[in-house]
């Protein structure tokens, strides 16, 4: 199966979780995506620049992160296959990005421009339904992560991450997992060694 055909099938299965499209409707939807092969370290969204699209991950792993004035990195999201990522606040509000999205590994992604997304949502009710479903799931996940930060100690957050996304530990360097958990690399090493 060619790369583009494989990407099409992965997206089709993903959409089918929440929306019923005819083959013709899906082909029309898919025609709005641009397929990109990205290298490890490549920046897809740069803080301070306009954001006009979002990405659907086919393979590899991306991260969305924020660097504060003290040059400390905070990771908002790891985006693995079948996950979406962007700076949504910047995209929806037509402002410059406050976060950066780059590739932790080589990655294959599908890029959808926000104008195309809006047009597709107005033309196809099922696509609007899908994006609402996806946004709701993202909101619930963000809320759970925030509550975990407020209620759980580092060990509990680490174990929660390990149980939810065990594949992260093979994909993502430990210092990035530490940044996601809001702890030092040393603290993570102690937890990692204790957990084994």
């Amino acid at each position: 199966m060619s790369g583009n055909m494989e990407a099409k099938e992965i997206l089709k299965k993903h959409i089918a979780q929440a929306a019923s499209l005819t083959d013709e409707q899906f082909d029309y939807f898919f025609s709005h995506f641009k397929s990109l092969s990205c290298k490890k370290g490549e920046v897809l969204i740069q803080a301070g620049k306009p954001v006009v699209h979002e990405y659907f991950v086919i393979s590899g792993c991306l991260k969305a992160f924020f660097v504060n004035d003290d040059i400390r990195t905070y990771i908002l999201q790891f985006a693995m296959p079948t996950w979406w990522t962007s700076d949504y606040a910047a995209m929806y509000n037509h402002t410059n990005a406050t976060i950066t999205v780059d590739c932790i590994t080589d990655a294959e992604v599908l890029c959808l421009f926000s104008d195309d997304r809006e047009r597709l949502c107005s033309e196809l009710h099922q696509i609007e339904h899908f994006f609402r479903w996806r946004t709701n799931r993202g909101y619930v996940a963000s809320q759970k992560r925030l509550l975990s930060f407020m209620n759980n100690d580092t060990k509990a957050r680490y174990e929660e991450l390990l149980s939810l996304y065990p594949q992260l530990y093979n994909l993502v360097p430990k210092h990035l997992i530490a940044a996601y958990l809001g702890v030092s690399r040393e603290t993570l090493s102690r937890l990692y060694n204790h957990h084994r």
Side-chain angles (χ1 to χ4, degrees), residues 84-116:
W84 297 77
T85 191
S86 187
D87 183 331
Y88 288 102
M91 191 173 86
Y92 294 140
N93 296 322
H94 305 289
T95 57
N96 288 339
T98 55
I99 65 171
T100 298
V101 175
D102 70 8
C103 300
I104 295 172
T105 65
D106 288 355
E108 298 289 327
V109 300
L110 294 175
C111 173
L112 179 64
F113 280 80
S114 55
D115 288 350
D116 287 338

Tab-separated table of all heavy atoms in Angstrom, residues 84-116:
chain	number	residue	atom	x	y	z
A	84	TRP	N	-4.341	14.646	16.689
A	84	TRP	CA	-4.318	15.929	15.990
A	84	TRP	C	-3.549	16.929	16.840
A	84	TRP	O	-3.583	16.850	18.073
A	84	TRP	CB	-5.732	16.457	15.806
A	84	TRP	CG	-6.627	15.613	14.961
A	84	TRP	CD1	-7.254	14.457	15.337
A	84	TRP	CD2	-7.017	15.851	13.609
A	84	TRP	NE1	-8.011	13.971	14.303
A	84	TRP	CE2	-7.887	14.815	13.228
A	84	TRP	CE3	-6.714	16.861	12.689
A	84	TRP	CZ2	-8.458	14.741	11.960
A	84	TRP	CZ3	-7.289	16.788	11.435
A	84	TRP	CH2	-8.146	15.734	11.069
A	85	THR	N	-2.895	17.875	16.194
A	85	THR	CA	-2.210	18.911	16.955
A	85	THR	C	-2.153	20.215	16.161
A	85	THR	O	-2.145	20.213	14.930
A	85	THR	CB	-0.795	18.464	17.384
A	85	THR	OG1	-0.274	19.388	18.336
A	85	THR	CG2	0.161	18.357	16.205
A	86	SER	N	-2.119	21.300	16.911
A	86	SER	CA	-1.952	22.644	16.364
A	86	SER	C	-1.867	23.587	17.557
A	86	SER	O	-1.934	23.150	18.708
A	86	SER	CB	-3.137	23.032	15.471
A	86	SER	OG	-2.869	24.269	14.824
A	87	ASP	N	-1.721	24.869	17.281
A	87	ASP	CA	-1.963	25.877	18.314
A	87	ASP	C	-3.387	26.349	18.036
A	87	ASP	O	-3.617	27.247	17.222
A	87	ASP	CB	-0.962	27.032	18.215
A	87	ASP	CG	-1.158	28.068	19.332
A	87	ASP	OD1	-2.308	28.220	19.803
A	87	ASP	OD2	-0.181	28.725	19.708
A	88	TYR	N	-4.348	25.708	18.684
A	88	TYR	CA	-5.755	25.951	18.357
A	88	TYR	C	-6.204	27.359	18.730
A	88	TYR	O	-7.012	27.959	18.017
A	88	TYR	CB	-6.651	24.882	18.976
A	88	TYR	CG	-6.479	23.559	18.260
A	88	TYR	CD1	-5.705	22.535	18.803
A	88	TYR	CD2	-7.044	23.354	17.004
A	88	TYR	CE1	-5.518	21.345	18.126
A	88	TYR	CE2	-6.862	22.161	16.316
A	88	TYR	CZ	-6.099	21.163	16.889
A	88	TYR	OH	-5.907	19.992	16.192
A	89	ALA	N	-5.691	27.898	19.814
A	89	ALA	CA	-6.066	29.272	20.191
A	89	ALA	C	-5.642	30.237	19.089
A	89	ALA	O	-6.413	31.105	18.671
A	89	ALA	CB	-5.429	29.656	21.521
A	90	ALA	N	-4.433	30.075	18.584
A	90	ALA	CA	-3.939	30.950	17.509
A	90	ALA	C	-4.720	30.721	16.220
A	90	ALA	O	-5.071	31.667	15.510
A	90	ALA	CB	-2.448	30.715	17.289
A	91	MET	N	-5.014	29.467	15.914
A	91	MET	CA	-5.719	29.147	14.673
A	91	MET	C	-7.135	29.732	14.684
A	91	MET	O	-7.560	30.361	13.721
A	91	MET	CB	-5.772	27.624	14.484
A	91	MET	CG	-6.243	27.204	13.112
A	91	MET	SD	-6.105	25.414	12.857
A	91	MET	CE	-7.664	24.872	13.547
A	92	TYR	N	-7.857	29.539	15.795
A	92	TYR	CA	-9.241	30.016	15.862
A	92	TYR	C	-9.332	31.532	15.976
A	92	TYR	O	-10.260	32.142	15.471
A	92	TYR	CB	-9.980	29.384	17.041
A	92	TYR	CG	-10.187	27.895	16.909
A	92	TYR	CD1	-10.034	27.060	18.005
A	92	TYR	CD2	-10.539	27.317	15.689
A	92	TYR	CE1	-10.222	25.690	17.896
A	92	TYR	CE2	-10.722	25.954	15.572
A	92	TYR	CZ	-10.568	25.141	16.678
A	92	TYR	OH	-10.753	23.790	16.560
A	93	ASN	N	-8.371	32.129	16.679
A	93	ASN	CA	-8.433	33.575	16.927
A	93	ASN	C	-7.644	34.395	15.915
A	93	ASN	O	-7.560	35.611	16.026
A	93	ASN	CB	-7.937	33.885	18.341
A	93	ASN	CG	-8.840	33.266	19.394
A	93	ASN	OD1	-10.053	33.242	19.244
A	93	ASN	ND2	-8.238	32.729	20.449
A	94	HIS	N	-7.016	33.712	14.945
A	94	HIS	CA	-6.210	34.383	13.910
A	94	HIS	C	-5.127	35.258	14.549
A	94	HIS	O	-4.938	36.416	14.183
A	94	HIS	CB	-7.105	35.208	12.971
A	94	HIS	CG	-8.208	34.393	12.357
A	94	HIS	ND1	-7.972	33.442	11.395
A	94	HIS	CD2	-9.542	34.374	12.599
A	94	HIS	CE1	-9.121	32.867	11.049
A	94	HIS	NE2	-10.086	33.417	11.770
A	95	THR	N	-4.431	34.666	15.524
A	95	THR	CA	-3.319	35.345	16.188
A	95	THR	C	-2.049	34.527	15.952
A	95	THR	O	-2.118	33.419	15.412
A	95	THR	CB	-3.567	35.471	17.705
A	95	THR	OG1	-3.784	34.163	18.251
A	95	THR	CG2	-4.785	36.349	17.993
A	96	ASN	N	-0.923	35.062	16.369
A	96	ASN	CA	0.323	34.310	16.239
A	96	ASN	C	0.398	33.212	17.298
A	96	ASN	O	-0.183	33.327	18.376
A	96	ASN	CB	1.519	35.243	16.368
A	96	ASN	CG	1.676	36.128	15.142
A	96	ASN	OD1	1.171	35.815	14.072
A	96	ASN	ND2	2.369	37.237	15.300
A	97	ALA	N	1.137	32.170	16.970
A	97	ALA	CA	1.281	31.026	17.874
A	97	ALA	C	1.972	31.427	19.165
A	97	ALA	O	2.892	32.256	19.158
A	97	ALA	CB	2.076	29.925	17.178
A	98	THR	N	1.533	30.831	20.260
A	98	THR	CA	2.240	30.967	21.537
A	98	THR	C	2.996	29.681	21.846
A	98	THR	O	3.824	29.646	22.745
A	98	THR	CB	1.270	31.275	22.694
A	98	THR	OG1	0.257	30.270	22.718
A	98	THR	CG2	0.625	32.634	22.529
A	99	ILE	N	2.678	28.619	21.105
A	99	ILE	CA	3.386	27.359	21.303
A	99	ILE	C	4.107	26.977	20.013
A	99	ILE	O	3.849	27.537	18.944
A	99	ILE	CB	2.435	26.220	21.731
A	99	ILE	CG1	1.429	25.889	20.618
A	99	ILE	CG2	1.726	26.557	23.031
A	99	ILE	CD1	0.603	24.643	20.893
A	100	THR	N	5.006	26.022	20.140
A	100	THR	CA	5.730	25.467	18.999
A	100	THR	C	5.354	24.001	18.879
A	100	THR	O	5.166	23.324	19.888
A	100	THR	CB	7.255	25.617	19.201
A	100	THR	OG1	7.562	27.021	19.281
A	100	THR	CG2	8.050	24.991	18.062
A	101	VAL	N	5.224	23.516	17.656
A	101	VAL	CA	5.009	22.086	17.405
A	101	VAL	C	6.170	21.608	16.553
A	101	VAL	O	6.449	22.192	15.498
A	101	VAL	CB	3.666	21.823	16.691
A	101	VAL	CG1	3.530	20.340	16.339
A	101	VAL	CG2	2.488	22.295	17.535
A	102	ASP	N	6.855	20.569	17.045
A	102	ASP	CA	7.937	19.999	16.243
A	102	ASP	C	7.913	18.481	16.320
A	102	ASP	O	7.082	17.889	17.010
A	102	ASP	CB	9.304	20.592	16.637
A	102	ASP	CG	9.802	20.147	18.010
A	102	ASP	OD1	9.186	19.260	18.641
A	102	ASP	OD2	10.831	20.684	18.462
A	103	CYS	N	8.824	17.855	15.567
A	103	CYS	CA	8.853	16.399	15.440
A	103	CYS	C	9.887	15.796	16.392
A	103	CYS	O	11.068	16.144	16.322
A	103	CYS	CB	9.204	16.005	14.008
A	103	CYS	SG	8.026	16.638	12.802
A	104	ILE	N	9.436	14.901	17.248
A	104	ILE	CA	10.346	14.164	18.126
A	104	ILE	C	11.052	13.083	17.318
A	104	ILE	O	12.209	12.754	17.551
A	104	ILE	CB	9.567	13.537	19.303
A	104	ILE	CG1	8.977	14.639	20.191
A	104	ILE	CG2	10.469	12.622	20.131
A	104	ILE	CD1	8.044	14.131	21.271
A	105	THR	N	10.328	12.510	16.369
A	105	THR	CA	10.866	11.474	15.482
A	105	THR	C	10.573	11.906	14.046
A	105	THR	O	9.843	12.871	13.823
A	105	THR	CB	10.151	10.122	15.720
A	105	THR	OG1	8.776	10.272	15.350
A	105	THR	CG2	10.249	9.672	17.177
A	106	ASP	N	11.101	11.169	13.081
A	106	ASP	CA	10.600	11.341	11.715
A	106	ASP	C	9.104	11.064	11.766
A	106	ASP	O	8.649	10.215	12.547
A	106	ASP	CB	11.268	10.348	10.763
A	106	ASP	CG	12.731	10.691	10.471
A	106	ASP	OD1	13.202	11.749	10.930
A	106	ASP	OD2	13.394	9.883	9.807
A	107	ALA	N	8.332	11.759	10.965
A	107	ALA	CA	6.882	11.614	11.041
A	107	ALA	C	6.235	11.804	9.675
A	107	ALA	O	6.767	12.519	8.823
A	107	ALA	CB	6.307	12.624	12.037
A	108	GLU	N	5.098	11.160	9.522
A	108	GLU	CA	4.215	11.383	8.374
A	108	GLU	C	2.961	12.037	8.925
A	108	GLU	O	2.358	11.510	9.874
A	108	GLU	CB	3.850	10.064	7.683
A	108	GLU	CG	5.036	9.307	7.102
A	108	GLU	CD	5.627	9.983	5.877
A	108	GLU	OE1	4.858	10.608	5.122
A	108	GLU	OE2	6.852	9.896	5.687
A	109	VAL	N	2.580	13.162	8.365
A	109	VAL	CA	1.394	13.869	8.846
A	109	VAL	C	0.519	14.299	7.670
A	109	VAL	O	0.997	14.408	6.541
A	109	VAL	CB	1.762	15.116	9.701
A	109	VAL	CG1	2.577	14.733	10.928
A	109	VAL	CG2	2.496	16.160	8.868
A	110	LEU	N	-0.747	14.531	7.979
A	110	LEU	CA	-1.659	15.149	7.026
A	110	LEU	C	-1.960	16.543	7.546
A	110	LEU	O	-2.258	16.724	8.732
A	110	LEU	CB	-2.959	14.347	6.912
A	110	LEU	CG	-2.836	12.943	6.317
A	110	LEU	CD1	-4.181	12.218	6.388
A	110	LEU	CD2	-2.330	13.002	4.873
A	111	CYS	N	-1.886	17.513	6.668
A	111	CYS	CA	-2.078	18.917	7.034
A	111	CYS	C	-3.425	19.393	6.478
A	111	CYS	O	-3.733	19.161	5.312
A	111	CYS	CB	-0.928	19.714	6.419
A	111	CYS	SG	-1.060	21.484	6.576
A	112	LEU	N	-4.222	20.025	7.341
A	112	LEU	CA	-5.513	20.572	6.929
A	112	LEU	C	-5.549	22.053	7.261
A	112	LEU	O	-5.362	22.442	8.421
A	112	LEU	CB	-6.658	19.848	7.647
A	112	LEU	CG	-8.077	20.334	7.333
A	112	LEU	CD1	-8.424	20.093	5.862
A	112	LEU	CD2	-9.091	19.660	8.243
A	113	PHE	N	-5.783	22.876	6.250
A	113	PHE	CA	-5.862	24.317	6.482
A	113	PHE	C	-7.180	24.669	7.156
A	113	PHE	O	-8.216	24.062	6.867
A	113	PHE	CB	-5.698	25.079	5.156
A	113	PHE	CG	-4.266	25.194	4.732
A	113	PHE	CD1	-3.641	24.128	4.107
A	113	PHE	CD2	-3.544	26.347	4.987
A	113	PHE	CE1	-2.302	24.222	3.735
A	113	PHE	CE2	-2.207	26.448	4.610
A	113	PHE	CZ	-1.595	25.387	3.992
A	114	SER	N	-7.144	25.635	8.061
A	114	SER	CA	-8.333	25.994	8.841
A	114	SER	C	-9.471	26.479	7.959
A	114	SER	O	-10.640	26.183	8.230
A	114	SER	CB	-7.990	27.021	9.923
A	114	SER	OG	-7.376	28.154	9.360
A	115	ASP	N	-9.171	27.196	6.877
A	115	ASP	CA	-10.230	27.654	5.972
A	115	ASP	C	-10.949	26.463	5.320
A	115	ASP	O	-12.170	26.460	5.182
A	115	ASP	CB	-9.663	28.563	4.870
A	115	ASP	CG	-9.246	29.929	5.405
A	115	ASP	OD1	-9.575	30.242	6.570
A	115	ASP	OD2	-8.585	30.672	4.659
A	116	ASP	N	-10.153	25.451	4.937
A	116	ASP	CA	-10.749	24.240	4.357
A	116	ASP	C	-11.602	23.516	5.394
A	116	ASP	O	-12.689	23.026	5.086
A	116	ASP	CB	-9.660	23.296	3.831
A	116	ASP	CG	-9.023	23.807	2.552
A	116	ASP	OD1	-9.656	24.625	1.849
A	116	ASP	OD2	-7.882	23.403	2.256
